[in-house]
């Protein structure tokens, strides 16, 4: 049986298609539930009852059973059972599966809006199963179609409201009256208008991943997807432009975001258009995947991610034999951006040698750090930009995993890892610990990451956004679906590479 239940309805405590009272998962995820695992950590059971889950599929239930049969640690069996299906259990706010063109709206967790990047990452662990599960394939295809519609409507948005036809109530996001965004947006359809370059890469990523898993390419012929693809490609080309033209006059900015705020991460330099840049081949962005403003507009990991996904898009279009002009255009920009990353997005560090920088402007300014949110420098092999043994990546990895050299790396008695300006000092993101494990070739390091993740759920059996390095009971966000999905990926990956590791 498949249940597609609007999260807004779920949060109100009433299922739309059954006379069953269901708790708000925001509340449910904030307290532990029996039965507990029998291991030392006593991980609670945090899946909602089957009748309250937003998507049920026997394929994933079987996958959980099969993977748990490979795990000897009872705590990890319970934890994996909680995190791996969390997106399906709790975040499918709307899915019209009974049409030839399905649509899926996924919330990010305790925030009732769909982020382009988050929603793509939330379903990535399920895509391998889509080839044998038509309903799961429709769910992913629905997300591809939904993202296309959203980006076609407003390509500079990072998070979107549910479409009116879903019947869901748009979320309140407290947009300030002093906010000025150009081009303007409609808050009834756009939840947040912080332009983040990785949204484009995520749209291409989920599109090509779905095609590779299922072989289905009919979605490419839809007017919504093809127009969104063309719009994104044209927008990327404009984002490659420098701040000044050859006459040292300002090029017309493509997007602007400014507001009066006491937090510098909530507005942009240069009257909302960002600090000036020269041409590098890379594309500018106003905000990072953390939703924090960039300091220098060329965010290197986002450009690396975009380069990979533009190349994947070109390969997909070429394989199917459609949109030859766009395929060539995407390939050309992928190469330009990749060259720009290596030419302008690296620097010689006095301790580590040549490293990738986090942000740059093409003039020689560079920001040395990494942020927990992906795409990040730590994730470059995961994204497919370089191999894990690449010398520049290995130099970078040593630098960003050092508390002496990455200002946003924190260490305490309970946890150590990369944090984010988004959540402030002395807070580590479990997401970064998971990514460290996914990009490591060392079994001992991977095991350390798994042990840390198991010990830092604050007794709630789910992954949080961030956790205090000194007090593991202090965390942000009890319900963060993206991180739950990523940790599910890590478990499967670790068991594949290192059987018996947990």
């Amino acid at each position: 049986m498949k249940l597609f239940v609007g999260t807004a309805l779920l949060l109100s405590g009433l299922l739309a298609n059954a006379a069953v009272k269901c708790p708000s998962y925001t509340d449910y995820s904030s307290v532990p539930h029996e039965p507990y695992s029998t291991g030392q950590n006593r991980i609670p059971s945090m899946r909602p009852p089957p009748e309250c889950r937003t998507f049920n599929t026997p394929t994933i239930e079987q996958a959980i059973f099969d993977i748990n049969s490979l795990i000897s640690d009872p705590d990890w069996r319970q934890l994996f059972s909680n995190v791996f299906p969390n997106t399906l259990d709790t975040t499918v706010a709307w899915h019209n599966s009974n049409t030839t063109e399905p649509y899926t709206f996924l919330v990010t967790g305790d925030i009732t809006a769909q982020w382009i990047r988050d929603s793509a990452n939330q379903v990535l662990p399920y895509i391998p199963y889509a080839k044998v599960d038509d309903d799961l394939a429709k769910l992913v295809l629905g997300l591809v179609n939904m993202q296309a519609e959203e980006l076609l409507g407003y390509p500079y948005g990072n998070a979107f409201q549910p479409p009116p036809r879903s019947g869901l109530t748009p979320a309140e996001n407290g947009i300030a009256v002093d906010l000025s965004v150009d081009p303007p947006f409609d808050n009834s359809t756009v939840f947040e208008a912080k332009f983040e370059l990785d949204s484009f890469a995520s749209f291409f990523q989920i599109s090509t991943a779905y095609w590779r898993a299922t072989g289905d390419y009919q979605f490419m012929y839809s007017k919504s997807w093809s127009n969104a693809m063309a719009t994104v490609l044209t927008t990327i080309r404009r984002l490659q432009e420098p701040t000044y033209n050859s006459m040292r006059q300002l090029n017309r900015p493509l997007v602007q975001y400014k507001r009066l705020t006491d937090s510098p991460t909530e507005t942009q330099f240069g009257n909302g258009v960002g600090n000036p840049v020269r041409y590098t081949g890379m594309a500018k962005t106003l905000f990072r995947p953390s939703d924090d403003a960039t300091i220098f507009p060329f965010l290197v990991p986002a450009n690396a991610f975009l380069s990979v996904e533009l190349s994947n898009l070109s390969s997909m279009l070429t394989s199917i034999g459609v949109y030859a002009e766009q395929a060539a255009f995407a390939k050309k920009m992928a190469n330009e951006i990749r060259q720009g990353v290596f030419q302008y997005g690296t620097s010689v560090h006095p301790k580590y040698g040549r490293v990738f920088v986090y942000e740059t402007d093409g003039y020689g300014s560079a920001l040395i750090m990494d942020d927990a949110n992906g795409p990040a420098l730590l994730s470059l092999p995961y994204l497919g930009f370089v191999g894990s043994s690449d010398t520049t990546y290995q130099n970078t990895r040593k630098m960003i995993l050092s508390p002496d050299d990455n200002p946003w790396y924190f260490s305490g008695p309970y946890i150590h890892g990369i944090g984010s300006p988004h959540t402030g000092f002395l807070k580590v993101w479990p997401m970064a610990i998971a990514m460290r494990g996914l990009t490591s070739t060392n079994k001992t390091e991977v095991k350390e990451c798994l042990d840390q993740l198991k010990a830092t759920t604050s007794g709630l059996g789910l992954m949080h956004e961030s956790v205090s390095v000194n007090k593991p009971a202090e965390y942000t966000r009890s319900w963060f679906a993206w991180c739950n999905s990523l940790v599910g990926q890590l478990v499967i990956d670790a068991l594949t590479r290192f059987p018996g590791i947990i």
Side-chain angles (χ1 to χ4, degrees), residues 380-381 384-391 393-394:
L380 292 181
F385 185 71
V386 293
S388 58
S389 62
D390 178 85
T391 300
Y393 173 73
Q394 282 298 322

Side-chain angles (χ1 to χ4, degrees), residues 382-413:
Y382 173 84
L383 299 172
F385 185 71
V386 293
S388 58
S389 62
D390 178 85
T391 300
T392 304
Y393 173 73
Q394 282 298 322
N395 294 344
T396 307
R397 183 183 181 89
K398 293 172 186 174
M399 177 184 71
I400 60 180
L401 293 178
S402 166
D404 295 326
D405 299 294
N406 178 4
W408 294 100
Y409 187 99
F410 304 114
S411 183

Side-chain angles (χ1 to χ4, degrees), residues 227-270:
N227 286 345
M229 180 262 296
T231 296
V232 169
L233 291 178
T234 302
T235 304
I236 295 169
R237 172 57 83 199
R238 287 288 314 279
L239 291 166
Q240 291 177 297
E241 296 176 356
T243 302
Y244 309 109
N245 61 26
S246 59
M247 304 298 293
R248 293 298 292 176
Q249 299 298 308
L250 285 171
N251 281 318
R252 186 178 181 277
L254 191 62
V255 58
Q256 181 180 24
Y257 186 105
K258 63 177 180 177
R259 59 174 296 192
L260 292 174
T261 175
D262 60 2
S263 176
T265 62
E266 293 299 308
T267 189
Q268 254 301 346
F269 299 93

Side-chain angles (χ1 to χ4, degrees), residues 76 101 115 120 189 256-257 308 321 327 333 347 389 431 434 462 482:
W76 260 115
E101 191 173 14
W115 267 254
T189 56
Q256 181 180 24
Y257 186 105
V308 170
M333 286 195 294
S347 178
S389 62
M431 178 183 296
L462 293 167
W482 174 11

